[in-house]
Amino acid sequence: MTKNRLSKVLAANGVASRRKCEELIFEGKVTVNGEVILKPQHMVDISKDKISLDGEKVLKTDEKVYYILNKPKGYVCSNDKERFKNIVVDLFPSKHRLFTVGRLDKNTTGLVIVTNDGQLSHRVIHPSFEISKEYLVKTNVEVTAEQLEKISSGVSIERCFVKPQKVTKVRKNTLKIIIQEGKKHEVRELVEQTGLQVQELCRIRIGNLRLGHLEIGHFKKVSLKDLDPVFDGKIG
Ligand code: URA
């Protein structure tokens, strides 16, 4: 394998732009085989040398990484840094070009998969895989029997009729809603079209993968195998 300049290798493996990588090297944040290297032109081979940034190993870009996150409020599922102040991928170490699999609204909390694996993204989002998602919704006032009935029987969103898979009233002003389609603002629309206001919205499950006790704002690195429950044996 050929050797290349350290700054070039860092940039090529998704750390940041070449210029930013040079800065990181000058700041003493990069080690090669345990030794701090201050010269961007230092020659390395990523297949043999152990390159780390802030103590975390820099991986080859063809390596896929997967995380599950309990998204906090105020973060947008987008990579458009120019447009949005707080984006979800900012919560992660900067070594990979990550994106979220599907979207939660800025003010929704809960389970999000974050990865650099485009194929996985397609499988979770595409309606043909019929992956259900479960949400807890806190409303401003108690949900009446009529409102529960209306939400269960479905509403029209952007001229499409949308019906949830299941709606359960778990407390006076808390609903559990399971949906499959994932239209924009679907859960909020379902609830708000009955006159209720959504105070809190949290996704607690994707397929058979549950949020569990992951705290808000925390994430966990997982393997592709750990994400099997998302698909519940629907695809190999
Ligand atoms: N439905 C919504 O309305 N918002 C979300 O964030 C997710 C589902």
Side-chain angles (χ1 to χ4, degrees):
M1 195 72 189
T2 51
K3 288 198 166 202
N4 267 305
R5 287 164 59 101
L6 179 56
S7 54
K8 185 176 173 188
V9 170
L10 291 176
N13 287 282
V15 169
S17 66
R18 180 90 73 94
R19 202 194 165 105
K20 178 73 190 158
C21 289
E22 288 181 357
E23 279 172 26
L24 293 168
I25 295 167
F26 291 136
E27 285 164 16
K29 292 187 170 167
V30 180
T31 59
V32 178
N33 303 322
E35 195 187 325
V36 176
I37 300 294
L38 297 169
K39 290 186 184 152
Q41 66 272 27
H42 183 87
M43 300 300 276
V44 288
D45 174 352
I46 195 164
S47 308
K48 288 200 197 124
D49 294 312
K50 187 176 171 234
I51 305 169
S52 301
L53 169 65
D54 284 334
E56 259 207 69
K57 191 170 179 234
V58 175
L59 303 171
K60 288 177 79 176
T61 38
D62 56 6
E63 189 149 359
K64 301 283 183 270
V65 288
Y66 306 90
Y67 296 93
I68 54 170
L69 164 75
N70 187 344
K71 183 182 119 30
K73 277 188 186 177
Y75 282 80
V76 179
C77 293
S78 163
N79 281 36
D80 194 344
K81 192 67 192 148
E82 310 276 285
R83 208 166 140 216
F84 303 109
K85 188 162 157 259
N86 295 318
I87 57 174
V88 162
V89 292
D90 279 350
L91 296 165
F92 290 80
S94 63
K95 280 151 230 57
H96 300 278
R97 293 189 201 286
L98 297 172
F99 52 85
T100 62
V101 175
R103 289 175 181 206
L104 288 181
D105 296 339
K106 186 174 173 188
N107 284 327
T108 302
T109 59
L111 183 59
V112 183
I113 298 168
V114 179
T115 183
N116 59 350
D117 181 348
Q119 280 231 313
L120 177 88
S121 175
H122 172 74
R123 287 167 168 187
V124 178
I125 297 170
H126 203 275
S128 63
F129 292 106
E130 297 186 340
I131 291 173
S132 68
K133 287 132 194 152
E134 186 170 327
Y135 295 84
L136 278 181
V137 191
K138 200 168 153 210
T139 55
N140 57 327
V141 290
E142 177 165 7
V143 182
T144 64
E146 294 74 39
Q147 286 165 327
L148 188 61
E149 170 58 28
K150 181 162 183 213
I151 297 169
S152 306
S153 40
V155 301
S156 168
I157 303 175
E158 288 169 352
R159 280 182 267 141
C160 283
F161 180 70
V162 175
K163 190 173 176 324
Q165 251 181 359
K166 192 169 174 202
V167 184
T168 325
K169 183 171 168 181
V170 288
R171 275 188 293 279
K172 281 185 174 179
N173 60 346
T174 307
L175 296 174
K176 194 185 273 182
I177 300 187
I178 302 175
I179 59 168
Q180 225 166 42
E181 294 92 342
K183 287 249 174 307
K184 205 169 176 199
H185 309 311
E186 181 167 338
V187 176
R188 287 176 198 274
E189 284 285 338
L190 279 163
V191 174
E192 288 177 354
Q193 284 195 28
T194 68
L196 290 162
Q197 283 168 25
V198 171
Q199 289 197 321
E200 305 279 339
L201 178 56
C202 177
R203 179 156 69 191
I204 56 170
R205 177 173 68 77
I206 303 173
N208 274 343
L209 182 77
R210 292 195 168 269
L211 177 62
H213 297 294
L214 195 59
E215 280 178 51
I216 290 196
H218 287 222
F219 59 81
K220 194 163 87 173
K221 196 167 185 182
V222 294
S223 66
L224 187 56
K225 191 97 195 90
D226 293 326
L227 296 177
D228 267 358
V230 170
F231 307 107
D232 192 23
K234 286 196 184 84
I235 52 175

